[in-house]
């Protein structure tokens, strides 16, 4: 029976600046889950891309002396280049300036308008151009006669005609769907739980304060104060605001408005990966628009935390922005990929520390895993004529092997909950067990006293290493591939299902080579 197809998305990244560690982190998590699901027999569609419209982009292009399209072409390419640098396996890269996306936005707008979900009114309030957001008076501070948003951006009083989406109509239905049990196809699952509670409370409080159907809860979805965007059909003085434009990308890439398109079978998305700063847009505005258009909502939205740098908040003004490209150049791609998902529980804030990175790489990858692989394969070379021993008596090391066999199921469960750090911890716990097993059995000494047992021990260790390398492919594709090469695993036997079939004894194994390099920390 075929396994269900999987649709995974990153947010589309805003092109007013170059990529940083936060962009790499979100896409990395999406990439690892996509790779694991493919490894586990699922057909996967993995989408990323760039958000290229809006007042900030229009202004940034003007400041750079460029046409907005030329500006977005240039900056969007930096994000596309990051996918290659980080080894991401995305199936599509969407840009909101593409014709297919403009067509999808127009089609969605027309459906909403035909259903009476959009109406024309006036919007007024304190607006920050930099944030492209309105703020309530209670959120503002004032210095030297200038009012500022919580972000520090200056605000000005703006009144302009605007189209509104009837968000208030859909809020009770959203609350109902937040509370449905796991497994219900209508459930809108928000993770981690703290974000679900935050969103639920926000919606419930709005309904309590203003009541169902209050226009105060409706959403402004067009602007006339700038022109760089998708034109509103039938009223081209207006451009669609970010809520409609950017969020629609997820169905654009799935073929919308052609619901008979080959890719439409992937919708609804299984997980939208987002930063915690945009969780409300994805869990309130987006599902409400989908419901209003008669479309299925995404199954889960997972909001990850933010990184600090050596204990400091990351900001351009402090000059401590972490460049993922520089990190990869300094430490190597796979070690960086491993560290980012190993160090911090996904969903929580974390601190980036070079010392922690080096300690993880040296302790877990080089010393624990790399050394285990090198010792085992070197012993096979010396004592088994470089050939894989036959599968032997399972009684020898049965408990250890049972733990190894359980690993794929453990990773499946943990990655289905986006517990990336726990998935890696499960692998590393087994690696520690394997190092204990090789020390206890001492196969280097068994050559003289019990060569049959020695062969069985080495075969068990090879089996364990094959399992680790297979399961680590989503996290460290290149290194895990090299490890599988050294273990003599053919290309067609590197998925999870293949772990159930033992390799034939007697196959020749190549000479082992170090998989990881140890890194020295600079002297303090």
């Amino acid at each position: 029976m075929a396994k269900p197809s999987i649709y995974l998305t990153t947010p589309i990244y805003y092109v007013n600046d170059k990529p940083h560690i936060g962009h790499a982190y979100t896409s990395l998590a999406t990439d690892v889950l996509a790779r694991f699901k493919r490894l586990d027999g699922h057909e996967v569609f993995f989408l990323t891309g760039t958000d290229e419209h809006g007042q900030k982009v229009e202004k940034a292009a003007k400041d750079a002396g460029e046409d907005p399209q030329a500006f977005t072409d240039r900056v969007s390419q930096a994000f596309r280049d990051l996918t290659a640098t980080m080894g991401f396996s995305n199936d599509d890269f969407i840009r909101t300036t593409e014709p297919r996306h403009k067509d999808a936005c127009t089609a969605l707008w027309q459906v909403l308008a035909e259903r009476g979900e959009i109406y024309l009114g006036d919007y007024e309030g304190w607006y920050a151009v930099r944030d492209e957001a309105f703020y309530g008076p209670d959120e503002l501070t004032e210095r030297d006669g200038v009012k500022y948003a919580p972000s520090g951006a200056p605000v000005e009083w703006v009144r302009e005609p605007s189209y509104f989406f009837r968000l208030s109509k859909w809020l009770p239905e959203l609350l109902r769907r937040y509370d449905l049990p796991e497994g219900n196809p209508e459930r809108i699952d928000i993770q981690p739980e703290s974000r679900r509670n935050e969103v639920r409370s926000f919606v419930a409080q709005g309904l309590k304060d203003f009541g169902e159907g209050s226009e105060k809860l409706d959403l402004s979805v067009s602007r006339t104060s700038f022109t760089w965007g998708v034109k509103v059909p039938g009223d081209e003085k207006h451009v669609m605001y970010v809520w409609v434009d950017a969020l629609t990308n997820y169905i654009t890439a799935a073929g919308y408005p052609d619901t008979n398109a080959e890719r439409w079978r992937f919708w609804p998305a299984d997980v939208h990966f987002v930063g915690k700063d945009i969780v409300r847009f994805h869990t309130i505005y987006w599902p409400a628009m989908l419901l209003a258009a008669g479309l299925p909502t995404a199954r889960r939205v997972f909001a990850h935390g933010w990184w600090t740098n050596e204990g400091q908040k990351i900001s351009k003004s402090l000059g401590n922005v972490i460049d993922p490209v520089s990190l990869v150049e300094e430490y190597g791609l796979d070690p960086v990929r491993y560290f980012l998902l190993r160090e911090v529980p996904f969903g929580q804030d974390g601190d980036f520390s070079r010392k922690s990175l080096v300690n993880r790489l040296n302790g877990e990858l080089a010393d624990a895993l790399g050394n285990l692989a090198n010792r085992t394969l070197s012993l096979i070379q010396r004592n088994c004529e470089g050939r894989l021993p036959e599968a032997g008596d399972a009684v020898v090391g049965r408990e250890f092997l049972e733990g190894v066999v359980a690993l794929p199921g453990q990773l499946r469960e943990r990655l289905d909950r986006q517990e990336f750090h726990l998935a890696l911890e499960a692998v590393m716990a087994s690696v520690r067990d394997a190092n204990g097993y090789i020390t206890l059995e001492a196969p280097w000494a068994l050559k003289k006293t019990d060569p049959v047992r020695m062969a069985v021990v080495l075969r068990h260790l090879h089996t364990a290493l094959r399992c680790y390398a297979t399961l680590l492919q989503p996290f460290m594709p290149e290194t895990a591939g090299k490890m599988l090469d050294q273990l003599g695993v053919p290309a067609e036997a590197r998925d999870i299902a293949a772990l159930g079939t033992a390799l034939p004894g007697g196959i020749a194994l190549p000479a082992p080579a170090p998989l990881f390099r140890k890194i020295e920390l600079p002297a303090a």
Side-chain angles (χ1 to χ4, degrees), residues 141-187:
T141 55
E142 186 170 340
R143 297 190 305 277
D144 302 323
V146 179
K147 294 184 186 296
Y148 293 90
S151 64
V155 298
E156 57 183 326
W157 187 260
V158 171
R159 177 170 183 163
E160 60 176 295
S162 174
Y163 285 92
F164 288 82
F165 166 63
R166 297 187 190 280
L167 177 65
S168 57
K169 172 182 172 182
W170 295 98
L171 295 181
E173 174 64 8
L174 292 182
L175 280 179
R176 183 186 77 83
R177 288 177 180 242
Y178 298 154
D179 293 339
L180 290 172
E182 283 189 37
N184 188 306
E186 292 188 339
R187 173 181 164 92

Side-chain angles (χ1 to χ4, degrees), residues 108-127:
L108 180 62
W109 185 284
Q110 288 171 329
V111 168
L112 293 172
E114 287 164 7
R115 289 172 169 240
E117 301 290 347
I118 288 177
Y119 61 92
L120 183 62
D122 286 298
Y123 199 96
E124 58 183 332
W126 293 104
Y127 183 70

Side-chain angles (χ1 to χ4, degrees), residues 326-452:
S326 297
L327 273 185
V328 169
E329 288 172 352
E330 186 174 355
Y331 297 105
L333 174 56
D334 281 355
V336 169
R337 286 175 59 106
Y338 176 86
F339 172 77
L340 289 175
L341 292 180
R342 176 73 174 103
E343 183 70 4
V344 177
F346 196 69
Q348 296 182 19
D349 291 345
D351 185 50
F352 179 85
S353 154
R354 276 176 163 73
K355 182 178 179 181
S356 296
L357 189 154
V358 169
N359 287 341
R360 289 277 187 202
L361 305 192
N362 288 348
E364 294 184 344
L365 297 184
D367 289 344
L369 179 59
N371 193 39
L372 174 70
N374 198 58
R375 291 168 80 193
T376 300
L377 293 172
S378 295
L379 286 165
I380 292 174
Q381 287 294 321
R382 288 198 302 270
N383 300 323
C384 306
E385 299 179 342
R387 295 186 177 276
L388 179 65
E390 299 287 345
D393 184 1
V395 174
V396 178
R398 173 181 288 170
E399 188 176 340
F400 165 62
L401 271 187
E402 286 174 350
V404 170
V405 169
L407 264 184
Q410 291 175 17
L411 264 70
R412 194 176 288 119
E413 285 181 19
R414 288 165 186 183
L415 292 179
D416 278 345
R417 295 194 294 265
Q418 288 76 67
E419 294 172 342
F420 299 97
H421 71 296
L422 293 181
L424 287 172
E425 171 54 29
V427 175
M428 285 303 144
S430 187
V431 169
R432 291 193 292 272
D433 288 345
N435 276 301
Y437 177 65
I438 194 172
T439 300
L440 177 69
E441 291 289 344
W444 49 88
L446 289 173
K447 177 72 182 289
K448 293 181 180 178
T449 59
D450 193 342
V452 173

Side-chain angles (χ1 to χ4, degrees), residues 17 36 55 66 73 106 124 137 169 197 218 222 225 241 272 287 291 326-327 353 356 380 442 444 451 511:
D17 207 348
F36 183 85
Q55 194 168 8
E66 292 182 77
D73 288 347
T106 299
E124 58 183 332
K169 172 182 172 182
N197 294 339
D218 287 348
S222 77
S225 54
Y241 196 41
H272 286 320
L291 290 170
S326 297
L327 273 185
S353 154
S356 296
I380 292 174
W444 49 88

Side-chain angles (χ1 to χ4, degrees), residues 139-382:
E139 297 180 276
L140 305 179
T141 55
E142 186 170 340
R143 297 190 305 277
D144 302 323
V146 179
K147 294 184 186 296
Y148 293 90
S151 64
V155 298
E156 57 183 326
W157 187 260
V158 171
R159 177 170 183 163
E160 60 176 295
S162 174
Y163 285 92
F164 288 82
F165 166 63
R166 297 187 190 280
L167 177 65
S168 57
K169 172 182 172 182
W170 295 98
L171 295 181
E173 174 64 8
L174 292 182
L175 280 179
R176 183 186 77 83
R177 288 177 180 242
Y178 298 154
D179 293 339
L180 290 172
E182 283 189 37
N184 188 306
E186 292 188 339
R187 173 181 164 92
I188 299 173
D189 184 24
I190 306 169
Q191 293 296 328
E193 190 70 13
S194 59
R195 299 294 163 215
R196 175 193 175 275
N197 294 339
E198 171 195 308
V199 169
R200 197 191 182 289
S201 174
F202 182 80
V203 172
Q205 188 62 44
L207 289 171
K208 177 185 171 189
D209 289 346
F210 299 107
E212 183 179 344
S214 168
E215 289 188 0
K216 288 188 176 182
L217 294 172
D218 287 348
L219 187 66
S220 171
V221 290
S222 77
R223 291 289 183 271
T224 57
S225 54
F226 59 92
T227 60
W228 183 239
V230 182
K231 304 294 185 186
V232 168
D235 192 350
E236 294 202 348
K237 297 188 300 295
H238 290 255
V239 296
M240 296 181 199
Y241 196 41
V242 62
W243 319 130
V244 180
D245 181 355
L247 293 166
T248 301
N249 90 88
Y250 303 121
I251 55 174
T252 298
Y256 189 82
D258 180 4
T259 55
N260 293 314
E262 191 270 338
R263 274 188 178 175
W264 188 252
R265 62 198 165 87
F266 287 102
W267 187 260
D270 291 273
V271 188
H272 286 320
F273 285 92
V274 300
K276 65 181 181 179
D277 54 326
I278 54 173
V279 67
R280 287 182 187 175
F281 311 147
H282 284 79
T283 56
I284 301 174
Y285 305 163
W286 178 225
M289 284 190 284
L290 289 168
L291 290 170
L295 297 172
T297 60
R299 295 189 173 97
R300 172 175 292 175
V301 177
F302 200 110
H304 66 76
W306 289 337
W307 287 91
T308 53
N309 187 354
E310 309 284 355
Q312 281 190 312
K313 184 178 179 181
I314 294 174
S315 74
K316 284 189 287 186
S317 59
L318 288 173
N320 66 345
V321 173
I322 301 170
D323 178 7
V325 177
S326 297
L327 273 185
V328 169
E329 288 172 352
E330 186 174 355
Y331 297 105
L333 174 56
D334 281 355
V336 169
R337 286 175 59 106
Y338 176 86
F339 172 77
L340 289 175
L341 292 180
R342 176 73 174 103
E343 183 70 4
V344 177
F346 196 69
Q348 296 182 19
D349 291 345
D351 185 50
F352 179 85
S353 154
R354 276 176 163 73
K355 182 178 179 181
S356 296
L357 189 154
V358 169
N359 287 341
R360 289 277 187 202
L361 305 192
N362 288 348
E364 294 184 344
L365 297 184
D367 289 344
L369 179 59
N371 193 39
L372 174 70
N374 198 58
R375 291 168 80 193
T376 300
L377 293 172
S378 295
L379 286 165
I380 292 174
Q381 287 294 321
R382 288 198 302 270

